[in-house]
Structures are given as structure tokens and as C-alpha cells.
Amino acid sequence: MKRKRGENDGISAIELGSGNGFLSVCLLALAQTTSLSLKNVVVTDMEDHLNLMEKTIRTNPHVWDELIVTKEGSSSTYHGSPSNRKERPASSVTVAEYKWGVDDFNQK
């Protein structure tokens, strides 16, 4: 699919090794206050950080439209409440585990 010149569906971002997820919240807040069109943000870290990342992002529902938290093989979806939802594209945030040093392409 080709894009027409000037067409902007929004950008996607991934944060590897997020820790508590605060940097992603800051990026989402920046997108709310500027012309940055942020469509998807994927926030990752090791399994022991997932609850903290989820808590940080869920505490800031004003900066995202949809939050998908994936852990232990299941996922939960939450809906945020940005005040300027109609003025910008919807932003989706996914919190997921990233296993450092594991190459899924070579596993059997």
C-alpha cells in the first residue's frame, strides 16, 4: 500500500527496557500537546517489571485511548480518557514482556 504525499497515519514507537514505563507516558503526553501524531506505543521489559509498567501507564489514562497488557499468555484491554480525543488520532499502548537474549526466530 502506497501513501499519498502528506498523508499521516501516525507513528509507532517501542520502548525496550522500560523499567517503570514513565518515558512512554512522557512521549504520550508530548503527543497530546504537540502536532506529533502517535498511533502505537509498545512498552517492554522483563517479566518482573510488567506490573510496575502497567501501574504507571494506567495511572495516566489522560494520555492514551487504549491499553493492552499482555502477561502470562493472556491480555487485558483498558480504555483511557484523553480530554482531546476528537482532536487527534487514537493512541494505543501495549505493555508486554521482552525476553532479552532470546531469539524467537531460531527457537523450535
Side-chain angles (χ1 to χ4, degrees), residues 8-13 22-41 62-65 82-93:
N8 185 3
D9 295 332
I11 62 171
S12 296
F22 183 69
L23 184 60
S24 291
V25 170
C26 291
L27 179 62
L28 288 156
L30 178 67
Q32 293 258 329
T33 60
T34 65
S35 61
L36 176 64
S37 180
L38 190 57
K39 186 175 181 180
N40 299 303
V41 178
H62 59 284
V63 298
W64 49 269
D65 294 286
S83 59
N84 60 349
R85 182 184 305 258
K86 294 178 184 175
E87 299 171 14
R88 60 172 187 77
S91 58
S92 175
V93 180

Side-chain angles (χ1 to χ4, degrees), residues 37-105:
S37 180
L38 190 57
K39 186 175 181 180
N40 299 303
V41 178
V42 178
V43 188
T44 68
D45 209 318
M46 295 171 38
E47 182 180 14
D48 59 338
H49 288 81
L50 294 179
N51 289 333
L52 180 58
M53 292 185 315
E54 177 183 358
K55 181 179 178 182
T56 300
I57 295 169
R58 285 188 66 187
T59 302
N60 294 280
H62 59 284
V63 298
W64 49 269
D65 294 286
E66 178 182 61
L67 171 63
I68 302 166
V69 179
T70 303
K71 46 185 170 177
E72 300 174 0
S74 64
S75 65
S76 301
T77 302
Y78 305 93
H79 298 282
S81 57
S83 59
N84 60 349
R85 182 184 305 258
K86 294 178 184 175
E87 299 171 14
R88 60 172 187 77
S91 58
S92 175
V93 180
T94 302
V95 172
E97 178 183 11
Y98 181 79
K99 295 181 182 180
W100 292 95
V102 175
D103 183 356
D104 290 336
F105 298 111

